[in-house]
Amino acid sequence: MIIFMFDIVCVTNRALCREDFLERIGKIAENHLAGIILREKDLPENEYRRLAEQVLNICKKHQVSCILHSFVDVAITCNVEAIHLPLQILRKMTPEQKTYFKEIGTSCHSLEDALEAQSLGSTYITAGHIFETECKKGMSGRGIGFLRTVCENVKIPVYAIGGINCENVDKIRKAGAHGACIMSGLMQCEDIKAYLELFEKEGNEDAVY
């Protein structure tokens, strides 16, 4: 994952798409985000691999980093050097497996998670969920204070996730995060370029897409 002053990273969820998923990935990749995390946690490994191969081809065409999710063996087989993992999977990775990757991201939900992920070799983490979101309906966001605490206590890049939009993204940046992860907005917006431009208009002058 290329680190800029402030990054926007897409986290996929094909169930939210209102059009063909691969077409949506192509449109997102055309806008040259910092990365696309292929999440799709409901798929079994063999189906995930088939989808990953298609998404990787799209990302390669547009020179966008594609980060695979959870399936370590799939990433190794596909020669993908970036993977995002739940903390429980990172704990089980062998030192040999870790050598295959230049980037290892981990989902963290507490400062303790973040510190553990860093000690286990993560090169970046996602911290969340920050704001209330439909994906975590009924659960309060952990808030900007939580995000700031994590950013101040780890030495690796922190990406905020959960309920982030153009109206609150500047709070994320000012809390010290390296970037923001967006799911539903990028899966569902009608005009991706116009949607991303809204983030720039909210005072996010350092953003690089």
Side-chain angles (χ1 to χ4, degrees):
M1 183 181 296
I2 301 172
I3 304 301
F4 296 106
M5 290 296 293
F6 192 85
D7 291 339
I8 298 295
V9 176
C10 171
V11 180
T12 73
N13 184 342
R14 71 193 190 288
L16 297 176
C17 281
R18 296 168 179 168
E19 63 181 316
D20 178 80
F21 178 66
L22 293 177
E23 288 184 15
R24 170 62 50 155
I25 292 297
K27 292 176 182 178
I28 292 170
E30 286 175 355
N31 285 274
H32 301 289
L33 302 186
I36 296 176
I37 299 176
L38 185 64
R39 190 168 178 266
E40 308 313 320
K41 293 172 69 175
D42 64 304
L43 291 178
E45 185 169 341
N46 60 334
E47 292 183 29
Y48 182 88
R49 177 178 177 175
R50 285 196 292 269
L51 181 64
E53 289 171 347
Q54 294 173 295
V55 173
L56 284 164
N57 285 334
I58 294 170
C59 289
K60 183 178 180 180
K61 175 182 176 181
H62 296 287
Q63 297 182 316
V64 171
S65 174
C66 181
I67 303 125
L68 299 192
H69 194 288
S70 295
F71 294 110
V72 175
D73 290 339
V74 171
I76 292 173
T77 302
C78 292
N79 295 313
V80 176
E81 296 180 329
I83 192 159
H84 191 92
L85 302 170
L87 185 55
Q88 62 266 28
I89 295 180
L90 176 63
R91 289 176 181 140
K92 297 176 182 178
M93 280 186 79
T94 67
E96 182 181 3
Q97 285 176 318
K98 290 178 183 178
T99 63
Y100 284 94
F101 300 101
K102 291 182 178 179
E103 299 290 346
I104 299 176
T106 310
S107 302
C108 297
H109 307 100
S110 68
L111 176 58
E112 291 74 22
D113 284 355
L115 293 170
E116 182 181 0
Q118 179 176 256
S119 71
L120 291 172
S122 286
T123 59
Y124 75 91
I125 63 170
T126 58
H129 63 286
I130 304 303
F131 303 111
E132 290 187 16
T133 171
E134 284 296 312
C135 295
K136 303 283 186 180
K137 204 164 186 176
M139 296 176 62
S140 299
R142 291 181 170 85
I144 292 297
F146 160 72
L147 176 62
R148 184 177 293 109
T149 296
V150 172
C151 292
E152 289 174 350
N153 284 276
V154 298
K155 298 178 181 178
I156 55 179
V158 178
Y159 289 78
I161 191 168
I164 300 166
N165 55 45
C166 64
E167 296 177 353
N168 59 33
V169 70
D170 205 43
K171 296 178 182 179
I172 297 297
R173 182 171 64 90
K174 290 176 180 176
H178 277 68
C181 295
I182 309 293
M183 180 186 287
S184 58
L186 285 169
M187 291 290 101
Q188 297 182 328
C189 65
E190 292 186 8
D191 186 325
I192 294 169
K193 182 178 180 181
Y195 175 79
L196 290 171
E197 287 175 349
L198 291 174
F199 285 80
E200 295 180 342
K201 292 177 181 177
E202 291 297 321
N204 189 14
E205 68 275 4
D206 293 327
V208 179
Y209 302 115

